[in-house]
Amino acid sequence: MRSLLITGGSGFIGGNFVHYWTQKYPADHVVVLDALTYAGNLATLGKLCEEGRACFVHGDITDVGLVQNIFEQHGVDTVVHFAAETHVDRSIVDSSAFVRTNVLGTQVLLDAARRSWFVDGNWRDSVRFHHISTDEVYGALGPTDPPFTELTPYSPSSPYAASKAGADHLVRAYAHTYGLPITISNCSNNYGPYQFPEKLVPLMIVNALHGRALPIYGDGLQIRDWLHVEDHCVAIDRIIHANVTGETFNIGGRSEHRNIDIVRMICALIDARFADDTFLSTRFPRCPAARGVSTATLMTHVADRPGHDRRYAIDPSRIAKKLAFEPTQTLATGLRHTVDWYLAQDGWWTAVLDGSYRSVSD
Ligand code: NAD
């Protein structure tokens, strides 16, 4: 039985991971540490804490005393570190929170793990610090460049990517200097349930349902690799359970697509759902599909993001060969599932947008 500390477990990927892990490994002890920034949402955890399947601690990963207490009180032996400031646009406006949480917060967690796990000159058995990172640390690719491998040199472009790169370097430095048992995964763009509606996929779905413009940055020809969040959770599980201490794995969906095509696919899925289910027109009357008009008529080109990377692509062959990981969702199945989730769970995202989920007592 493991005792996991999951940081950022009320955010998008962390929340999905808490659901995944508590369902698959119900005997494990799970502590979620989350500051509930604008991107964190207690409702994402549903009844897991009430039912005693996870413990929630409302706090900041930069709080040295709090983090150390959690390690001691809960006998943490596994850290899965998701907590981060994650939105590139916000990092361009002000990068201070990115450096604080992503770099300093990671260092605080690494130190707490080192203090707790290195006892009488030896590392405790079966401990692991798994750090969640991004493909954005590698920078941008040209149209014909080969995809990123684990050996691609770091070349981050945005303040967000630079802060994640800084965190990755610290994690490796703690392994090299102190012998901390770490693993790192660098993943491509995730989509799926519980994603805050500022990122491309949920923003487009929620705007479409409100009949608002669907903003496409620049020409919309930026290419990303897309992975359904549940596949990401499976990949992390494989890494944590494998004997791969010190290693890095790139995780991707073998699914490169242009942003504009992602938006077109979402519009087509919404149109098809409204055509199948006339009740949706009553629930979302401002969506063009409610009047039989194509949702794609909302697509609007806007000024591009400064320094917008043109292409990211992941070579996932290492995790495929070594840990037999392959994604189960294609973009078509995953996006359909995601659109259906947002259509069914408007209570979740309307609460997120109006901030009412913030009424938290801890
Ligand atoms: P998110 O923004 O949805 O969630 C981040 C969570 O961290 C929130 O719950 C927030 O409240 C919490 N948090 C922020 N600052 C904190 C602090 N100082 N202390 C404690 N908690 C804090 O992010 P996400 O999209 O779920 O990303 C999770 C991780 O995965 C991040 O490390 C991100 O870099 C990485 N990642 C994300 C993607 C993606 O497509 N979303 C892709 C690759 C890697």
Side-chain angles (χ1 to χ4, degrees), residues 66-313:
L66 173 70
V67 169
Q68 195 65 50
N69 273 344
I70 292 173
F71 270 80
E72 282 159 22
Q73 276 178 14
H74 294 273
V76 171
D77 55 32
T78 306
V79 175
V80 194
H81 175 33
F82 295 94
E85 290 291 338
T86 62
H87 193 41
V88 174
D89 289 350
R90 289 176 188 259
S91 81
I92 293 168
V93 175
D94 180 4
S95 61
S96 54
F98 287 73
V99 174
R100 190 178 154 279
T101 288
N102 301 0
V103 182
L104 179 62
T106 301
Q107 176 257 319
V108 168
L109 289 162
L110 289 164
D111 269 340
R114 187 165 70 93
R115 277 193 293 269
S116 300
W117 296 346
F118 193 67
V119 183
D120 298 332
N122 290 302
W123 287 98
R124 278 181 48 195
D125 285 339
S126 309
V127 291
R128 178 74 68 82
F129 189 110
H130 183 68
H131 175 62
I132 306 293
S133 191
T134 167
D135 59 357
E136 300 196 30
V137 297
Y138 298 121
L141 293 170
T144 56
D145 289 338
F148 306 127
T149 72
E150 289 80 357
L151 299 176
T152 302
Y154 277 27
S155 181
S157 311
S158 69
Y160 162 66
S163 68
K164 292 296 291 185
D168 293 13
H169 289 318
L170 268 177
V171 174
R172 287 199 185 92
Y174 272 64
H176 182 79
T177 307
Y178 307 109
L180 186 75
I182 63 102
T183 36
I184 299 179
S185 49
N186 295 82
C187 189
S188 59
N189 274 33
N190 281 216
Y191 65 98
Y194 300 115
Q195 189 168 27
F196 188 82
E198 66 180 353
K199 304 278 169 67
L200 183 73
V201 170
L203 177 72
M204 295 302 152
I205 299 171
V206 167
N207 274 14
L209 296 178
H210 282 108
R212 294 188 194 130
L214 306 182
I216 315 287
Y217 275 142
D219 58 13
L221 303 184
Q222 307 85 359
I223 294 174
R224 302 289 181 261
D225 174 80
W226 292 88
L227 182 74
H228 192 272
V229 65
E230 285 163 18
D231 280 321
H232 190 185
C233 293
V234 173
I236 298 167
D237 180 357
R238 295 268 166 91
I239 297 169
I240 289 173
H241 279 105
N243 186 14
V244 290
T245 300
E247 298 191 27
T248 296
F249 292 91
N250 281 357
I251 308 172
R254 299 188 196 277
S255 178
E256 279 187 59
H257 293 275
R258 304 184 309 182
N259 284 351
I260 197 161
D261 296 329
I262 298 284
V263 179
R264 287 188 182 125
M265 287 174 77
I266 291 169
C267 291
L269 283 164
I270 290 175
D271 290 346
R273 281 295 179 250
F274 274 69
D276 286 349
D277 178 356
T278 48
F279 185 54
L280 288 175
S281 305
T282 315
R283 290 177 56 214
F284 305 107
R286 284 177 290 168
C287 182
R291 305 184 301 280
V293 175
S294 165
T295 304
T297 54
L298 295 173
M299 288 170 67
T300 310
H301 288 268
V302 298
D304 207 354
R305 165 194 284 165
H308 206 170
D309 288 339
R310 289 300 278 181
R311 175 174 169 244
Y312 306 135

